[in-house]
Amino acid sequence: MKTSDFNFDLPAELLAEHPSEHRDEARLMVLDRKTETIEHKLFKDVVDYFDEHDLFIFNNTKVFPARLYGNKEKTGAKIEVFLLRELDKETRVWDVLVDPARKIRIGNKLFFTEDESLVAEVIDNTTSRGRTLRFLFDGSYEEFRTKLKELGETPLPKYIKRAVEPEDAERYQTIYAKIEGAVAAPTAGLHFSRHLMKRLEIKGIDFAEVTLHVGLGTFNPIEVEDLSKHKMESEEIIIDEKNADIINRAVDAHRRVCAVGTTTMRALETSVSSNKKISAFNGWTNKFIYPPHDFGVANSMITNFHTPKSTLLMMIAAFAGRDFVMHAYEEAVKEKYKFYSYGDAMLIL
């Protein structure tokens, strides 16, 4: 398989700038892998495809407001700082991306408040845009994190050209988000409303949770034609014993097991053993799933519509077959489905 096998024409107007008015009223394209048929529904109709004791597996990661704006010492130039991951809690050292990067060198200081209560010093270069910062803040760790939240902005993807709006703080977060650590939302889960969750519960559908802290690497473009040479960035996964047991019981009982989102699927495929059992897991994954791939746990999945040549599209193609998926995407463009983070959804059975 080559990167170019996953290219298609995506009109710019199909990239969703705003979420649907109600979470569960986005459009839903339903793909049946056995019959290779396609249906057009609303997301809230997802409940009709599942029965009692079928299982939904959610990624409960929580997005933190990762985008900050500071000023460079002396010049006062405005610099965007995107927090990627905390490297050391004690010394407040973080991996970040900076923009514009050419202006930021080791030894530079960035000021985030007028009273200079939060300052960062650049201590290393990691990539062309990547830097390591040490934050200087006179207060406890809890106060430091509170300050980052106060100053931070919801990290909407760069393709959304509009300014962040107050509703983004709520809508760019799943309703079941619990464990903070993601810099991008697990977007398939954004379509679940409290009302829909209650309807699933009443129908007797079971729920399990895993945690995969989504990093920006998920969205990195592939710059090689040979997929076997692409390296994914690592993301942190946590799956506890209780949820592993719920998942294994559903698999053993041959239930319909639905992975909500590509991040959930990556977490499952990282922690599944050769005998198709999920083990408790606490660690990191750089697993890249592309065709052909033998999936060990989920037999259905929910996902958004992804951009051309993306690793996410490749995973979907591995799950549902490349030709069928590319045909479905042609249909999605023709029917004007909305793509990407705030876009519409797909259910693959």
Side-chain angles (χ1 to χ4, degrees), residues 214-227:
V214 190
L216 284 187
T218 298
F219 309 113
N220 278 355
I222 297 184
E223 289 168 351
V224 289
E225 180 65 353
D226 178 353
L227 294 186

Side-chain angles (χ1 to χ4, degrees), residues 89-90 92 117-118 135-145 147:
K89 191 172 167 176
E90 300 302 315
R92 297 172 191 173
S117 59
L118 183 67
F135 283 96
L136 311 170
F137 178 78
D138 190 15
S140 68
Y141 178 74
E142 287 67 30
E143 289 167 329
F144 165 64
R145 289 303 296 248
K147 180 59 81 174

Side-chain angles (χ1 to χ4, degrees), residues 138-256:
D138 190 15
S140 68
Y141 178 74
E142 287 67 30
E143 289 167 329
F144 165 64
R145 289 303 296 248
T146 301
K147 180 59 81 174
L148 287 185
K149 272 188 194 164
E150 276 171 22
L151 297 172
E153 192 177 87
T154 302
L156 292 183
K158 281 287 195 189
Y159 83 88
I160 294 179
K161 301 300 181 203
R162 64 174 173 81
V164 171
E165 296 166 10
E167 75 155 358
D168 291 313
E170 182 210 346
R171 290 302 301 272
Y172 196 64
Q173 193 83 270
T174 63
I175 60 165
Y176 47 77
K178 281 187 192 149
I179 302 172
E180 196 169 81
V183 299
T187 54
L190 298 180
H191 302 294
F192 286 85
S193 64
R194 286 189 169 76
H195 180 64
L196 178 57
M197 295 291 274
K198 183 52 73 179
R199 286 177 63 213
L200 291 166
E201 219 175 284
I202 289 166
K203 197 164 182 182
I205 288 158
D206 296 327
F207 302 146
E209 294 182 353
V210 299
T211 306
L212 182 144
H213 290 316
V214 190
L216 284 187
T218 298
F219 309 113
N220 278 355
I222 297 184
E223 289 168 351
V224 289
E225 180 65 353
D226 178 353
L227 294 186
S228 66
K229 294 191 164 52
H230 177 67
K231 296 284 181 284
M232 295 284 281
E233 279 189 36
S234 291
E235 294 169 311
E236 189 178 9
I237 294 177
I238 305 153
I239 302 176
D240 62 26
E241 290 282 1
K242 179 185 147 201
N243 282 287
D245 288 346
I246 294 169
I247 295 165
N248 288 331
R249 283 200 300 273
V251 172
D252 289 346
H254 305 290
R255 299 290 180 193
R256 184 163 269 174

